[in-house]
Amino acid sequence: MKIISKGIVLLLLWSILLLHASWTSGSYKDTGKELIIDLPEGKLSLIPLNQNSVRVQFFQQGSTRLEELIYTENVQSPKYTIKETSEEITFRLQRLSVVFDKHKETLTFKDPNGRVLLQEKAGGRFMESSTIQGTPTYKVEQQFLSPKDEYLYGTGQFQDGYLNIRGLSRRLTQVNTQIAIPFVLSSKGYGLLWNNYGLTDFNPSDQSIQLAPIPNKSETLTVDATSTSGNKREVRQINAFTASMEIPEEGHYSLLLDVGQRMARKHYLSVDGQNVIDVNNIWLPPTTSIIIEMQKGKHEIEVQGDQKDQPILYWHKVTDQTAFRSPVAQALDYTVFAGTADEVIGSYRELTGPAPMMPLWSLGYIHCRERYNTQQELLENAREFRQRKLPIDVIVQDWQYWGKHGWNAMRFDEERYPDPVGMVRELHDMNIRLMVSVWSKIDPNSEVGKQVSAKGYYIPESEWVDFFNPEAAAFYWSNFSKKLLKAYHIDAWWQDATEPENDDLQNRRINSGRMPGELLRNVYPMYVNKTVYEGLRKDDPDRRALILTRSGFSGMQRYAAATWSGDVGHDWETLRRQIAGGLSQMATGLPWWTYDAGGFFRPSNQYTNTEFHEQFLRWLQTATFFPLLRVHGYMSQTEPWRYGKEVERITTQYLNLRYRMLPYIYSQSAAVSFAGSTLMRPLVMDFPTDHQALEQRHEFMFGPSLLVAPVTEGQVKQWNVYLPKHTEGWIDFWSGENMNGGQSVKVNVTLGKIPLFVKAGSILPLGPEKQYTSENTDKPWEIRIYPGADATFTVYEDEGDNYNYEKGKSATFQLKWKDTEKILEISDRKGSFTGMKKDLILNITVVSPQQGIGVKASTPTQTVTYSGKLMQVCSAQNE
């Protein structure tokens, strides 16, 4: 008998394992609905969702699927083909293919022409078992290759000021002023949704340093702040912290500062004595990020912040890769969408739910302040709007109207609001709607709160309702419906602090203690707004819902939810950061967003401070081209007339422009609902190959035609505007001058004018000036034609305030401009609805420096009466 040495046995075993690994990496199973590839570490699944999207899931033994919260729509499973060679497996759809490399065990995503859209990095898939609050979970990460010329947008609304986030580190958590949405949109023609409901790190850093406080270096500040218990004055101690970091090689580095508390009071970071971040606000997110160039060697770091901060600085060198990491997960799970930006977002909404039509009145002016203290005060100001001929559709009652009844008691304090029913009726008689602030937090000593406590419907050790518990959500809604909706016939709902405030699910149990809050840490706002929207559809089925909410998550567009940027300051840098943050959210597929025009926290001398007046007007002018237009301010009387005649005059001008644009805005709102479009558009959506356009952080398109270039600095007479590459050029909205695309131009600006350009080859339908959106007027529309190329525009109309459009009660007609022939063709009208005007008087205006410029209607080229039948208008343009 021969004795085989231990080394030979080990060699044989190793050979068998290698053969097994090679075999498992090449074996797959086609279930008819998904492709499952066996790997030594687990199972890799490719699930086709529609013809341009594939969901990728990686499971290990013990992995489970969480409840599906994002994908809700019943879309027929698309047909696909599978082709295998000795090197790879190709999974092909009509508009997307996925190639699995058997040797590298990576996936490559390609368009129908074989062009690479996205590639996994070899060795970049990671999954490791873990626990959270004693519950088995996993840590997961996926790394992707990112070519140097790629631009990435998304992850929600952040306060770091970045729009292109390639290489930037971000920590996705829900807090006041920050909305975490794990979706990115690429200039390369794809979108990626990271399917995880908990904390996620985008481009995480594994290198970090803990900073130590500097003795005897601090200052004391007293601030007026908001909190979950109302307004309060806080004394804050600002300390300095320091550390040294060693950089191994020169290059661009992404730095992420974590202050070590759930909210920050200050973001301040200096490197070697050079300040790179300096942002002050009453509330700030706990993390902020920046990319800077650093040399090899030792660097001195200083951070300033609250004395209770425990700051940590994370960093990594920016390389040609992108990564997502979630410390709490059940599987590695992401979806890739292929196509143009509109195709990507349209596909996403096809799977996660369309955005319902917002009420027409929500697209007018929404006026708010912190706060009206009595019924009389609110009504006096509403009447003043009408007397001064300032357009308005919605007035807002902010928090604490509940008074002695306790926080969010879902009732008005009768001493200050003696007749809420009469108040709402009087507003309606003035054609003004009422929006009311409602929280997910309820005082446990209030009438409703005592019942919530008794039933165990609070998240433990908090005053937040446990919306993850269906019974708690139903109880919340039953009180909401009975005590507010049906009692007063309020029109719109402001769901404040739906993060919940301060990332309050960490270290708590949810759904009656069944699971750790970290599993669903980022989706609390989804549950809150789902509860309210579905309740409104059930109990108030004849009126369209409008929900304004401070936080959001992927899929929440289906609940008529609009977000805003939270409790921000008023200065120029804050304005710039809000615009970039809003555009970042637009890249994630959630289409409804705004901010507090003028900033929430304002200077104490705001009514006489001319510097603030300029800031306010620039905030307002920019917001005129946001999905929603809204003013708000802390401890402020925000009505325009309180800031003097000049501010009131310019405010009126822009409100008139907003109301004149309603045919354009409402038609584009329909495109959002029915075609997956986006109204406020980062330039990547329309100019993905124009690299200079992709560098713009603050310019954006408003619908398909309008280029908005906000003025974001004070005391300027000229503003530099980049006109994206467009063969036919751009036409100045204010002057009618035509300029070539693909160039930067200096534009003269005044306090009453911001740069605004229209794409040559556009049709802009403008209505008459109105005091409210539903005002019935026989005044003509102005159809402005911006010549230079053929153009089309589809006008959409319906009843504006109900859901009859879901039953087909709507109408459209198409405007088609033939540039060579100088002919405008107006199609047959399709559809009808109650109240539809059979005849429309249309003033056709071919724009030139002599006509069709500015806010006011000008002398038309021709006037026609459109009766719903096909007609052609021959326009004699002045040469």
Side-chain angles (χ1 to χ4, degrees):
M1 181 178 174
K2 291 185 178 180
I3 299 175
I4 303 176
S5 72
K6 181 184 292 186
I8 295 174
V9 172
L10 289 174
L11 182 61
L12 288 170
L13 287 172
W14 181 244
S15 300
I16 293 170
L17 285 172
L18 286 175
L19 287 170
H20 178 68
S22 175
W23 176 80
T24 54
S25 294
S27 65
Y28 70 88
K29 177 182 178 182
D30 179 8
T31 70
K33 291 188 176 181
E34 64 181 311
L35 171 66
I36 301 173
I37 303 172
D38 288 319
L39 302 178
E41 304 86 6
K43 293 184 181 294
L44 183 66
S45 177
L46 304 182
I47 308 169
L49 300 181
N50 55 24
Q51 284 296 348
N52 68 328
S53 69
V54 170
R55 185 173 188 174
V56 177
Q57 293 181 322
F58 182 68
F59 291 96
Q60 292 182 345
Q61 188 174 2
S63 298
T64 60
R65 284 185 169 94
L66 281 176
E67 176 188 3
E68 185 54 69
L69 301 178
I70 299 176
Y71 303 98
T72 58
E73 304 305 294
N74 293 320
V75 177
Q76 185 175 1
S77 183
K79 294 181 179 179
Y80 58 86
T81 61
I82 299 173
K83 181 180 179 181
E84 183 180 17
T85 69
S86 60
E87 303 293 322
E88 59 190 28
I89 302 170
T90 301
F91 183 86
R92 189 180 303 277
L93 299 166
Q94 284 184 3
R95 297 165 61 193
L96 174 65
S97 63
V98 188
V99 179
F100 173 74
D101 186 311
K102 292 183 178 180
H103 299 289
K104 295 180 181 179
E105 297 184 355
T106 58
L107 298 175
T108 299
F109 301 84
K110 298 181 179 181
D111 71 7
N113 297 319
R115 182 175 66 92
V116 172
L117 302 174
L118 176 67
Q119 289 180 282
E120 291 183 339
K121 180 183 176 182
R125 185 184 302 117
F126 173 81
M127 188 170 184
E128 179 182 82
S129 60
S130 182
T131 61
I132 190 77
Q133 295 192 47
T135 299
T137 59
Y138 290 86
K139 298 176 182 178
V140 299
E141 179 174 350
Q142 181 64 64
Q143 300 170 3
F144 303 90
L145 301 182
S146 176
K148 284 183 169 52
D149 62 345
E150 181 175 35
Y151 289 76
L152 285 170
Y153 307 84
T155 71
Q157 170 201 279
F158 279 70
Q159 295 296 326
D160 53 41
Y162 280 83
L163 188 53
N164 173 24
I165 57 172
R166 180 184 180 272
L168 185 73
S169 297
R170 277 181 172 173
R171 180 160 296 160
L172 275 60
T173 54
Q174 310 287 25
V175 293
N176 188 350
T177 75
Q178 178 171 293
I179 301 173
I181 304 171
F183 187 107
V184 292
L185 180 69
S186 171
S187 62
K188 293 297 184 180
Y190 72 87
L192 190 151
L193 176 58
W194 182 254
N195 301 308
N196 185 276
Y197 308 146
L199 180 150
T200 291
D201 282 309
F202 177 73
N203 292 329
S205 301
D206 291 320
Q207 301 173 89
S208 66
I209 49 170
Q210 178 85 50
L211 287 91
I214 302 175
N216 304 318
K217 188 172 183 180
S218 65
E219 61 177 321
T220 301
L221 300 175
T222 301
V223 299
D224 292 315
T226 58
S227 73
T228 56
S229 57
N231 299 333
K232 64 178 181 179
R233 177 155 289 191
E234 287 187 351
V235 177
R236 294 178 173 178
Q237 185 88 11
I238 302 299
N239 282 15
F241 306 82
T242 188
S244 298
M245 61 188 292
E246 190 77 26
I247 296 298
E249 58 182 343
E250 67 175 302
H252 284 89
Y253 284 79
S254 177
L255 311 180
L256 183 144
L257 172 64
D258 182 348
V259 304
Q261 293 197 74
R262 293 188 177 183
M263 291 294 290
R265 277 64 174 167
K266 184 175 186 176
H267 288 160
Y268 179 96
L269 173 66
S270 72
V271 179
D272 298 327
Q274 180 179 357
N275 175 233
V276 295
I277 299 175
D278 190 1
V279 179
N280 288 275
N281 194 38
I282 304 301
W283 302 115
L284 286 165
T287 61
T288 190
S289 308
I290 193 171
I291 295 175
I292 62 172
E293 189 171 0
M294 301 186 75
Q295 300 299 314
K296 179 181 178 180
K298 186 177 180 180
H299 297 272
E300 299 302 320
I301 306 299
E302 180 177 327
V303 167
Q304 294 178 10
D306 185 82
Q307 63 176 342
K308 296 179 182 178
D309 286 353
Q310 296 179 318
I312 300 175
L313 185 68
Y314 298 84
W315 81 90
H316 72 264
K317 186 177 182 183
V318 175
T319 58
D320 296 336
Q321 70 177 50
T322 297
F324 285 88
R325 175 189 294 170
S326 294
V328 180
Q330 291 301 315
L332 193 159
D333 191 343
Y334 68 90
T335 301
V336 174
F337 305 83
T340 65
D342 283 332
E343 290 170 341
V344 164
I345 290 175
S347 176
Y348 152 82
R349 295 218 196 110
E350 180 185 26
L351 298 168
T352 65
M357 286 291 292
M358 288 295 194
L360 175 62
W361 47 261
S362 71
L363 304 180
Y365 174 55
I366 301 173
H367 181 76
C368 185
R369 77 186 200 191
E370 195 282 310
R371 61 197 182 275
Y372 293 111
N373 294 287
T374 65
Q375 174 177 327
Q376 179 182 357
E377 188 178 40
L378 186 147
L379 289 173
E380 284 176 352
N381 283 277
R383 296 184 199 112
E384 189 76 8
F385 270 95
R386 287 288 176 248
Q387 290 169 6
R388 291 176 177 266
K389 302 297 182 184
L390 277 161
I392 183 175
D393 266 88
V394 183
I395 196 165
V396 182
Q397 176 60 60
D398 199 354
W399 61 359
Q400 302 197 55
Y401 57 89
W402 43 73
K404 64 179 180 290
H405 297 299
W407 192 273
N408 196 43
M410 299 188 184
R411 61 185 297 187
F412 287 85
D413 186 335
E414 302 84 356
E415 294 177 8
R416 294 185 288 120
Y417 300 84
D419 183 13
V421 173
M423 178 179 70
V424 175
R425 185 188 310 115
E426 183 172 346
L427 288 173
H428 288 177
D429 288 343
M430 288 187 280
N431 293 287
I432 297 176
R433 266 76 176 186
L434 178 65
M435 175 186 285
V436 169
S437 171
V438 189
W439 284 54
S440 307
K441 170 184 179 289
I442 300 176
D443 184 348
N445 295 313
S446 68
E447 178 184 325
V448 178
K450 290 177 181 177
Q451 298 178 68
V452 175
S453 292
K455 294 176 180 292
Y457 290 162
Y458 281 121
I459 293 173
E461 300 177 4
S462 84
E463 295 179 6
W464 302 105
V465 175
D466 186 358
F467 282 89
F468 303 104
N469 177 353
E471 293 178 359
F475 181 79
Y476 177 92
W477 175 254
S478 67
N479 283 276
F480 188 121
S481 179
K482 178 182 177 182
K483 296 177 182 294
L484 289 174
L485 175 65
K486 293 178 179 177
Y488 306 127
H489 302 287
I490 294 165
D491 304 280
W493 307 99
W494 182 2
Q495 298 297 140
D496 207 345
T498 52
E499 297 83 14
E501 188 158 83
N502 300 338
D503 191 18
D504 221 11
L505 295 184
Q506 190 178 11
N507 300 319
R508 303 188 192 276
R509 305 291 293 184
I510 59 173
N511 195 1
S512 296
R514 293 184 180 92
M515 65 177 70
E518 287 85 352
L519 278 174
L520 301 179
R521 187 170 172 179
N522 280 342
V523 296
Y524 187 82
M526 171 89 79
Y527 278 80
V528 176
N529 289 282
K530 176 180 186 290
T531 297
V532 175
Y533 176 73
E534 291 180 348
L536 290 170
R537 291 303 302 260
K538 175 175 65 74
D539 292 349
D540 195 15
D542 298 325
R543 295 194 300 170
R544 281 188 207 171
L546 168 63
I547 302 171
L548 183 66
T549 185
R550 206 169 69 185
S551 193
F553 195 75
S554 296
M556 214 174 78
Q557 76 283 342
R558 59 181 177 261
Y559 301 129
T563 62
W564 91 102
S565 64
D567 299 347
V568 300
H570 63 84
D571 57 29
W572 295 112
E573 177 60 25
T574 301
L575 171 59
R576 291 189 285 270
R577 289 169 187 261
Q578 301 325 297
I579 298 169
L583 291 170
S584 292
Q585 179 169 312
M586 295 303 97
T588 69
L590 271 66
W592 296 105
W593 179 87
T594 188
Y595 58 35
D596 294 347
F600 181 64
F601 295 109
R602 298 178 171 205
S604 59
N605 63 345
Q606 60 180 301
Y607 307 111
T608 57
N609 182 333
T610 55
E611 180 182 356
F612 174 72
H613 294 174
E614 180 185 12
Q615 291 172 345
F616 168 79
L617 288 171
R618 296 309 191 198
W619 281 71
L620 179 83
Q621 290 163 347
T622 304
T624 302
F625 306 96
F626 285 173
L628 299 180
L629 168 58
R630 172 178 169 272
V631 164
H632 189 35
Y634 176 61
M635 299 178 68
S636 302
Q637 296 180 347
T638 57
E639 293 76 30
W641 55 85
R642 304 189 188 281
Y643 299 87
K645 291 183 179 180
E646 182 70 356
V647 171
E648 182 179 357
R649 181 188 68 81
I650 296 172
T651 297
T652 303
Q653 176 188 5
Y654 277 84
L655 292 181
N656 285 336
L657 175 56
R658 176 76 178 195
Y659 278 75
R660 287 211 68 202
M661 289 192 297
L662 281 171
Y664 177 80
I665 296 172
Y666 198 58
S667 297
Q668 290 307 304
S669 172
V672 169
S673 294
F674 307 133
S677 186
T678 303
L679 185 54
M680 180 184 178
R681 305 171 64 83
L683 296 186
V684 67
M685 290 186 168
D686 298 286
F687 310 99
T689 62
D690 184 343
H691 292 288
Q692 196 165 345
L694 299 180
E695 293 286 348
Q696 306 305 312
R697 292 189 182 189
H698 308 122
E699 290 184 24
F700 59 93
M701 294 294 291
F702 186 58
S705 303
L706 290 167
L707 175 69
V708 185
V711 175
T712 60
E713 295 178 8
Q715 300 294 311
V716 295
K717 303 299 181 183
Q718 286 189 321
W719 194 247
N720 193 59
V721 178
Y722 178 71
L723 300 175
K725 292 178 181 177
H726 178 58
T727 303
E728 293 76 23
W730 297 86
I731 299 174
D732 190 316
F733 177 83
W734 303 104
S735 70
E737 180 185 359
N738 193 303
M739 299 184 186
N740 293 330
Q743 64 166 335
S744 293
V745 296
K746 288 192 176 298
V747 179
N748 293 330
V749 297
T750 64
L751 189 59
K753 186 175 74 173
I754 65 168
L756 184 62
F757 287 84
V758 186
K759 190 187 293 183
S762 294
I763 299 172
L764 185 61
L766 299 174
E769 293 182 3
K770 291 184 174 185
Q771 290 298 294
Y772 51 94
T773 54
S774 60
E775 183 177 4
N776 191 7
T777 174
D778 292 326
K779 294 179 181 178
W781 286 15
E782 183 181 19
I783 307 299
R784 289 191 184 176
I785 298 167
Y786 292 81
D790 293 347
T792 61
F793 188 89
T794 300
V795 175
Y796 173 89
E797 298 178 284
D798 63 20
E799 294 167 41
D801 61 355
N802 57 42
Y803 293 100
N804 289 339
Y805 74 88
E806 295 179 342
K807 305 170 186 175
K809 301 295 183 181
S810 62
T812 61
F813 62 91
Q814 188 179 71
L815 303 166
K816 185 176 182 180
W817 170 250
K818 300 177 181 178
D819 196 62
T820 303
E821 297 91 332
K822 300 294 183 278
I823 291 175
L824 176 68
E825 181 177 282
I826 310 175
S827 74
D828 289 329
R829 179 188 281 134
K830 296 180 180 179
S832 65
F833 58 92
T834 302
M836 182 182 73
K837 289 187 176 181
K838 294 183 179 180
D839 297 328
L840 279 176
I841 301 173
L842 304 178
N843 286 339
I844 314 300
T845 303
V846 180
V847 174
S848 70
Q850 289 77 40
Q851 61 185 6
I853 58 176
V855 176
K856 296 291 185 181
S858 64
T859 303
T861 307
Q862 285 198 45
T863 298
V864 300
T865 299
Y866 172 65
S867 301
K869 298 297 183 182
L870 175 67
M871 63 186 306
Q872 289 189 338
V873 184
C874 183
S875 174
Q877 181 185 12
N878 294 327
E879 297 294 339

